Amino acid sequence: MTPQQSAEQLIRAELRLLRDQVKGVHGSMVATSDGFMVAEDIPDLEPTRIAAIIATTLGLARQATEATGRGRFRETLTRGSDGYLAVFAIGEKAVVAVLGGDDMNVGMLHYQIRDLNKRIAHHMEQAVRSRKFLAPEDL
């Protein structure tokens, strides 16, 4: 991370790249597991409200995964009448949410998300080390 680039800027650039790489992605965001927004690339929606809803989705999905003996939560995909909401864990303390239309290429999203999550986790870790972002307990 250069002095000119904050972790938020680097993560936002990663989210824009995801929108460019996966057909049908309308936007995405990264939030902490307790609902605080880290970075977003979601046009036309209130990101702080979405961050809180995503944290709730994460909490419920984690409980469902554990209660059914499926191990640690990794992802959930919800399909509505107008498209998709995909939620992916980034470790234990953060989450990425992806909003897509009916035409979203879900297979390509799954292909891209693993590397994206690793890069975002790295940016967040670097920010914590440089004390320019979240506190260590937030990761």
Side-chain angles (χ1 to χ4, degrees):
M1 174 172 14
T2 67
Q4 295 84 17
Q5 293 180 304
S6 69
E8 182 181 352
Q9 291 170 322
L10 291 169
I11 293 169
R12 190 175 297 121
E14 296 286 359
L15 297 175
R16 282 192 300 269
L17 181 62
L18 179 68
R19 187 165 28 105
D20 293 341
Q21 291 177 331
V22 180
K23 179 183 183 277
V25 169
H26 293 179
S28 54
M29 73 177 319
V30 175
T32 63
S33 59
D34 53 359
F36 292 102
M37 188 183 60
V38 174
E40 55 90 12
D41 178 43
I42 300 178
D44 303 327
L45 291 175
E46 173 51 47
T48 54
R49 180 173 177 252
I50 302 300
I53 292 168
I54 295 309
T56 302
T57 301
L58 174 66
L60 289 173
R62 278 185 174 159
Q63 287 180 31
T65 304
E66 290 174 16
T68 58
R70 304 297 99 193
R72 288 182 34 213
F73 171 79
R74 290 188 183 171
E75 64 186 64
T76 186
L77 179 69
T78 304
R79 185 170 184 193
S81 60
D82 295 325
Y84 294 92
L85 167 64
V87 177
F88 301 90
I90 303 175
E92 293 297 316
K93 299 288 185 172
V95 61
V96 62
V98 180
L99 304 172
D102 279 333
D103 63 338
M104 186 171 75
N105 186 333
V106 176
M108 182 56 76
L109 175 64
H110 279 99
Y111 177 76
Q112 295 290 341
I113 203 71
R114 288 185 193 107
D115 288 338
L116 174 85
N117 281 355
K118 288 177 189 174
R119 292 190 307 267
I120 289 173
H122 174 75
H123 296 319
M124 291 176 75
E125 184 179 315
Q126 292 297 97
V128 167
R129 286 187 184 146
S130 67
R131 300 190 187 280
K132 294 184 178 182
F133 199 50
L134 302 170
E137 61 269 15
D138 289 335
L139 293 176

